[in-house]
Amino acid sequence: MIYGMENGEVSDLIDRYRTGNYGEDFCVRRMTCCSCDKEITEGERYFDVGGSVYCMDCADVADECILDAVRGEYIYEM
Protein backbone atom coordinates (compact mmCIF):
# COMPACT_ATOMS: atom_id res chain seq x y z
CA MET A 1 0.00 0.00 0.00
CA ILE A 2 1.13 3.54 -0.65
CA TYR A 3 0.32 6.24 1.89
CA GLY A 4 1.42 9.81 2.41
CA MET A 5 4.72 10.44 4.18
CA GLU A 6 3.24 12.91 6.66
CA ASN A 7 2.41 10.31 9.29
CA GLY A 8 4.10 6.90 9.18
CA GLU A 9 2.09 5.57 12.10
CA VAL A 10 -1.16 5.75 10.16
CA SER A 11 0.15 3.60 7.32
CA ASP A 12 1.52 1.10 9.84
CA LEU A 13 -1.84 0.87 11.62
CA ILE A 14 -3.73 0.46 8.35
CA ASP A 15 -1.43 -2.33 7.16
CA ARG A 16 -1.73 -4.15 10.49
CA TYR A 17 -5.53 -3.83 10.38
CA ARG A 18 -5.84 -5.06 6.78
CA THR A 19 -3.31 -7.89 6.83
CA GLY A 20 -2.81 -8.77 10.49
CA ASN A 21 0.88 -8.12 11.22
CA TYR A 22 1.70 -7.74 7.52
CA GLY A 23 0.22 -11.12 6.58
CA GLU A 24 2.35 -13.10 9.02
CA ASP A 25 -0.75 -14.29 10.87
CA PHE A 26 -1.78 -16.28 7.81
CA CYS A 27 1.57 -18.10 7.65
CA VAL A 28 1.82 -19.16 11.29
CA ARG A 29 -0.48 -22.04 12.07
CA ARG A 30 -0.55 -23.37 15.59
CA MET A 31 -2.42 -26.53 16.39
CA THR A 32 -3.08 -28.18 19.70
CA CYS A 33 -4.33 -31.66 20.44
CA CYS A 34 -8.04 -31.76 21.28
CA SER A 35 -7.42 -34.39 23.93
CA CYS A 36 -4.30 -33.33 25.85
CA ASP A 37 -3.76 -29.71 24.62
CA LYS A 38 -0.20 -30.49 23.51
CA GLU A 39 1.05 -28.15 20.78
CA ILE A 40 1.68 -29.92 17.48
CA THR A 41 4.72 -28.42 15.80
CA GLU A 42 5.86 -28.46 12.20
CA GLY A 43 7.06 -31.87 11.05
CA GLU A 44 5.06 -33.81 13.63
CA ARG A 45 2.47 -36.34 12.57
CA TYR A 46 -1.09 -35.98 13.84
CA PHE A 47 -4.63 -37.25 13.30
CA ASP A 48 -7.32 -34.97 11.84
CA VAL A 49 -10.72 -36.52 12.51
CA GLY A 50 -13.48 -34.34 11.15
CA GLY A 51 -11.59 -31.16 12.04
CA SER A 52 -10.52 -32.35 15.48
CA VAL A 53 -6.74 -32.70 15.78
CA TYR A 54 -5.05 -35.36 17.92
CA CYS A 55 -1.33 -35.84 18.55
CA MET A 56 0.29 -39.26 18.13
CA ASP A 57 0.34 -39.70 21.92
CA CYS A 58 -3.47 -39.65 21.86
CA ALA A 59 -3.77 -42.25 19.10
CA ASP A 60 -6.23 -44.32 21.16
CA VAL A 61 -8.62 -41.37 21.43
CA ALA A 62 -8.26 -40.65 17.71
CA ASP A 63 -8.88 -44.31 16.86
CA GLU A 64 -12.11 -44.26 18.87
CA CYS A 65 -13.25 -41.09 17.07
CA ILE A 66 -12.47 -42.65 13.70
CA LEU A 67 -14.35 -45.80 14.69
CA ASP A 68 -17.35 -43.73 15.81
CA ALA A 69 -17.35 -41.91 12.45
CA VAL A 70 -17.52 -45.11 10.37
CA ARG A 71 -19.27 -47.49 12.76
CA GLY A 72 -22.65 -47.02 11.08
CA GLU A 73 -21.32 -48.31 7.76
CA TYR A 74 -20.68 -51.73 9.29
CA ILE A 75 -23.91 -52.24 11.24
CA TYR A 76 -26.38 -54.58 9.58
CA GLU A 77 -29.75 -55.95 10.56
CA MET A 78 -31.40 -59.22 9.49
Side-chain angles (χ1 to χ4, degrees):
M1 299 270 172
I2 300 173
Y3 306 104
M5 296 297 292
E6 296 85 28
N7 189 347
E9 291 178 18
V10 172
S11 61
D12 183 53
L13 289 173
I14 292 171
D15 278 339
R16 283 184 180 272
Y17 175 75
R18 290 182 57 113
T19 63
N21 293 326
Y22 304 104
E24 293 171 0
D25 292 346
F26 297 111
C27 298
V28 177
R29 183 176 165 191
R30 292 195 174 112
M31 292 189 298
T32 57
C33 177
C34 292
S35 180
C36 69
D37 289 331
K38 174 187 169 190
E39 185 174 348
I40 299 170
T41 58
E42 186 175 342
E44 282 188 280
R45 295 172 57 199
Y46 61 92
F47 293 94
D48 185 345
V49 184
S52 297
V53 177
Y54 300 95
C55 67
M56 296 308 285
D57 295 335
C58 297
D60 293 339
V61 177
D63 288 343
E64 188 63 35
C65 291
I66 293 167
L67 181 61
D68 287 343
V70 297
R71 187 183 314 266
E73 298 175 22
Y74 296 95
I75 297 174
Y76 299 96
E77 185 177 324
M78 287 191 68

